[in-house]
Amino acid sequence: MRLSLDGFRAGLHPGTTYRVAFSGGLDSAVLLDLMCEVRRVSGIRLSAVHVHHGILPAADAWSRHCAAVAKEYGVALDILRVDGRPGPGESPEAAARNARYRSLEALLNPGDILVTAQHLDDQAETLLLQLLRGAGLAGLAAMPKAAPFGPGILHRPLLRYGRRDILAYARNKSLRWIEDPSNRDEHYDRNFIRRRIMPELAVRWPAVAANLARSAGHCAEAAGLLDKQADILLATATAADEPGSLDVGAVQRLHPDEQRLLLRRWIRKRGLRVPPAKLLDRIRRELIETAAEHAPAIAWTEGTVRRYRHRLYLLPLAADFDASWTAAWSGETPLTLAGNGGLDAALRPGPGIDPDKWRSGCITVRYRRAGDRLEPAGRKGHHELKKLFQEAGLPPWLRDRQPIVCIDGRIAAIGGSRWLASEFAGCPEGVNIVVRWTPEPVMDRRNGSDAATQP
């Protein structure tokens, strides 16, 4: 398909503020030029962003090139420096991509549209990669043209155009771009497919890229229909009293295929990548089919699925909390808890801490320690926190996360105001200090929603 301004503009996701992901390569050079043409005729707000991965020696020169090109166009450029080095067990491609998208997502404001330069051949290569990895429908759907991305939208306006069309446009406009030498390294799977496999396929099937991209579109349509079915299953299996969890009994009544569909959707909607098929089936067999007396858990690189009292819980990987940690708190301004949300306190009608004792005491916050006991308001006798948590049905992995508010070194409240100490409790019918705990949210990387780590 011939690449023209009119055709490109007609396929552009509607909006007023666009940010161009500008690497300096051929594809993004064409994308930036086209977006500047759109700005000229329609007056959109436009800026560019370049991600400096800090891996190759030429990275600084590429940043300077991008800055010079952006200046020629009169476009503001943000240069984001990230650590794109792979971690243990992580591929270099995945590490660079993840670092790049995290930094780009953090840059966006609500309503911003991030435009990236993936094209028809990239789509075809992605489908082949996913096939060779044994991906399901969601993977075979490859890259959507537009999708929610943090507070904004990620848009790929060049997906209809092939590499030849993009190159022809660049040459016609006499554009300048960078040739990344790593694109010739066939140790990378995508480069091997691009340089070895696709040319051979194109000899026999000249329209191979367009055909594969069309197949990806069919897979995306089918995946969307399955997602709608999965949402129906999810609505019936979600525990009414704990919206973040699944009712094991309801899941058990489903066919195994429906259970797998449900689990995949549940995990994706929390913004986590679905575990491999074998591990997903372990979750189904060991946490759903088996009657467990203890609290079993299955973890993978993204998170953990746990079962407790006929409920399934999904949690991100989180570090243990330091029992020796203590923080002073004025009680007047919110207190941030590292990796665990935050606390705030205010006068409100109903049960809470006596305001006089709150104002006259020294307030500190900590986590559970061995030997902690509490006499709850309205009950006689001191009880171990473990027993109180068990009575309340609090899952074991959430017990050490409960922030404990102390006054003059003695426990006054736990988990916000979920448990109040009798010695500090005010009159339940009066106006008292109510401490609220807002747990750390788990951000959904696709749709911008969040789900608390506490059910």
Side-chain angles (χ1 to χ4, degrees):
M1 179 183 294
R2 180 176 175 271
L3 179 54
S4 66
L5 175 60
D6 288 342
F8 174 83
R9 186 182 175 195
L12 198 61
H13 193 85
T16 58
T17 304
Y18 296 83
R19 293 179 181 267
V20 178
F22 184 41
S23 69
L26 167 64
D27 307 332
S28 66
V30 168
L31 179 61
L32 180 61
D33 186 83
L34 284 163
M35 292 302 298
C36 286
E37 289 293 320
V38 173
R39 180 183 62 175
R40 179 179 58 81
V41 298
S42 65
I44 60 170
R45 291 192 293 272
L46 183 66
S47 61
V49 53
H50 173 76
V51 179
H52 186 306
H53 292 89
I55 299 175
L56 298 177
D60 289 337
W62 294 344
S63 294
R64 290 192 294 270
H65 167 84
C66 291
V69 172
K71 184 176 181 180
E72 291 174 9
Y73 281 115
V75 172
L77 176 72
D78 288 299
I79 297 178
L80 306 179
R81 292 180 176 269
V82 302
D83 184 358
R85 293 171 297 180
E90 187 177 25
S91 74
E93 297 160 287
R97 181 177 62 251
N98 292 339
R100 180 168 62 251
Y101 277 97
R102 281 195 300 268
S103 66
L104 290 171
E105 183 177 347
L107 182 69
L108 294 189
N109 296 314
D112 284 358
I113 299 175
L114 175 70
V115 288
T116 60
Q118 290 94 348
H119 49 70
L120 187 73
D121 295 79
D122 293 324
Q123 186 77 304
E125 293 160 7
T126 299
L127 176 61
L128 280 180
L129 278 170
Q130 296 288 17
L131 277 170
L132 294 170
R133 291 168 180 165
L137 268 181
L140 299 181
M143 298 178 287
K145 183 179 179 182
F149 187 69
I153 297 289
L154 174 61
H155 178 40
R156 302 177 175 95
L158 293 177
L159 279 183
R160 293 185 298 159
Y161 304 100
R163 187 173 284 112
R164 288 184 179 180
D165 306 307
I166 291 170
L167 180 58
Y169 180 96
R171 287 174 173 169
N172 184 54
K173 296 291 294 284
S174 300
L175 302 182
R176 296 181 292 118
W177 64 87
I178 297 166
E179 294 288 353
D180 184 347
S182 68
N183 287 336
R184 297 191 294 269
D185 187 348
E186 294 181 4
H187 286 95
Y188 296 119
D189 292 340
R190 183 177 290 275
N191 289 346
F192 179 79
I193 287 176
R194 178 180 300 162
R195 296 172 63 85
R196 295 284 191 94
I197 305 302
M198 290 298 291
E200 289 292 328
L201 292 175
V203 170
R204 189 174 184 92
W205 296 282
V208 60
N211 290 342
L212 289 175
R214 186 163 61 251
S215 292
H218 295 326
C219 291
E221 183 177 351
L225 292 173
L226 281 176
D227 282 345
K228 291 179 180 179
Q229 177 63 26
D231 284 337
I232 295 172
L233 297 176
L234 191 57
T236 61
T238 297
D241 56 338
E242 294 178 303
S245 67
L246 297 181
D247 183 288
V248 173
V251 180
Q252 286 174 337
R253 289 191 287 272
L254 299 175
H255 187 274
D257 288 343
E258 292 177 315
Q259 292 176 355
R260 284 186 283 268
L261 180 66
L262 170 65
L263 289 171
R264 290 190 186 99
R265 187 62 170 163
W266 182 51
I267 292 169
R268 286 199 187 99
K269 292 197 78 167
R270 292 292 297 273
L272 304 179
R273 291 185 182 88
V274 177
K278 288 185 178 180
L279 195 59
L280 192 73
D281 213 46
R282 268 194 64 203
I283 293 172
R284 194 184 65 78
R285 293 194 318 270
E286 298 178 21
L287 303 190
I288 296 173
E289 291 184 349
T290 304
E293 296 299 327
H294 59 298
I298 293 179
W300 72 105
T301 55
E302 290 277 316
T304 304
V305 176
R306 294 178 179 270
R307 175 172 168 171
Y308 180 69
R309 292 190 177 182
H310 306 293
R311 296 285 189 271
L312 287 186
Y313 298 90
L314 176 61
L315 301 103
L317 295 179
D320 293 333
F321 290 92
D322 183 0
S324 65
W325 175 84
T326 301
W329 186 24
S330 67
E332 298 177 357
T333 59
L335 176 69
T336 299
L337 306 172
N340 200 29
L343 293 172
D344 65 77
L347 279 169
R348 293 186 176 87
I353 298 173
D354 185 303
D356 292 333
K357 295 179 180 178
W358 179 262
R359 297 189 187 101
S360 63
C362 176
I363 305 169
T364 56
V365 179
R366 62 175 176 84
Y367 292 115
R368 184 168 61 141
R369 298 173 183 169
D372 276 343
R373 299 172 66 85
L374 177 74
E375 182 177 69
R379 294 177 59 177
K380 291 185 177 180
H382 285 75
H383 304 265
E384 292 183 4
L385 298 195
K386 178 180 178 180
K387 298 295 185 182
L388 293 176
F389 293 160
Q390 287 175 339
E391 288 177 10
L394 191 67
W397 58 91
L398 293 178
R399 295 171 187 174
D400 288 339
R401 298 180 68 94
Q402 304 298 306
I404 297 177
V405 176
C406 299
I407 297 177
D408 295 332
R410 302 190 302 280
I411 296 176
I414 302 172
S417 295
R418 186 167 184 176
W419 290 273
L420 295 171
S422 59
E423 67 170 306
F424 292 104
C427 176
E429 291 77 28
V431 176
N432 296 295
I433 294 292
V434 177
V435 179
R436 296 188 305 183
W437 173 41
T438 305
E440 185 80 7
V442 182
M443 181 59 65
D444 186 326
R445 291 182 286 269
R446 277 171 292 282
N447 62 23
S449 67
D450 55 24
T453 54
Q454 173 179 300

